[in-house]
Amino acid sequence: MHAVLLIFCWCVCWIVSPSDIFKFLVATMFPTASRLETPYLLVALLYFWSGLYKVRGYFWSWVFQYQFLLMSPVSYPLRRFYLNEDLTPRTWSKVFGVIGAAGECLVGLGLLFPDPTVQFVSTIFATKMHIFIFTFGMGPYRWNVMQ
């Protein structure tokens, strides 16, 4: 089943990267009791690996400000708050980018945690993160188009 999903993503969606392949391989290591747990596990691993990937300096010091915020119809008029006069990112926007990336990673770990309360809190944080993305980020313009 995982191989079929991986081939589908690669052939149709062009979204397979080495971290995606690793994510699918890790998902096969967990014993699943039902077919509903495998997609849940894949989503949790997606949050974890995506957040871990974004903790790199390239995301929080460049992509977050220029590809994520600057192209949004809501954030573009506010660019003077997250970009300096010379159009370099302000320190607070870099810190916010790191916090967002680390938070996404922690959401993935929280979803993998066996306690239902931790899973629920992680789901709330993921929902708030997506509300932020839709409002201030590339939400209406489909972020994956930029990749």
Side-chain angles (χ1 to χ4, degrees):
M1 179 61 186
H2 298 292
V4 172
L5 185 60
L6 183 64
I7 291 169
F8 174 79
C9 289
W10 181 58
C11 293
V12 178
C13 304
W14 299 90
I15 60 169
V16 174
S17 67
S19 63
D20 291 329
I21 294 169
F22 188 68
K23 172 184 59 183
F24 285 116
L25 291 176
V26 169
T28 61
M29 295 177 1
F30 288 89
T32 57
S34 71
R35 293 180 187 253
L36 294 177
E37 289 179 5
T38 301
Y40 177 83
L41 180 61
L42 289 174
V43 168
L45 289 171
L46 175 69
Y47 277 113
F48 175 75
W49 289 115
S50 178
L52 192 62
Y53 179 77
K54 290 175 185 167
V55 170
R56 303 177 320 141
Y58 183 69
F59 174 80
W60 54 262
S61 66
W62 193 87
V63 172
F64 180 67
Q65 292 83 7
Y66 297 114
Q67 284 189 341
F68 185 81
L69 293 174
L70 196 60
M71 296 190 184
S72 167
V74 175
S75 297
Y76 180 78
L78 304 173
R79 65 190 174 279
R80 66 183 173 154
F81 295 112
Y82 58 87
L83 296 177
N84 292 315
E85 295 296 325
D86 61 352
L87 300 179
T88 58
R90 293 186 186 273
T91 303
W92 79 264
S93 67
K94 291 179 183 181
V95 171
F96 193 76
V98 169
I99 291 170
E104 184 177 7
C105 188
L106 291 175
V107 163
L109 289 177
L111 291 173
L112 294 173
F113 205 76
D115 183 15
T117 305
V118 175
Q119 291 175 349
F120 179 74
V121 170
S122 295
T123 304
I124 296 299
F125 278 118
T127 303
K128 289 181 178 185
M129 178 180 64
H130 284 282
I131 289 171
F132 174 81
I133 291 169
F134 186 78
T135 306
F136 295 102
M138 293 296 297
Y141 298 117
R142 298 289 303 156
W143 171 249
N144 289 335
V145 172
M146 295 303 300
Q147 295 182 6

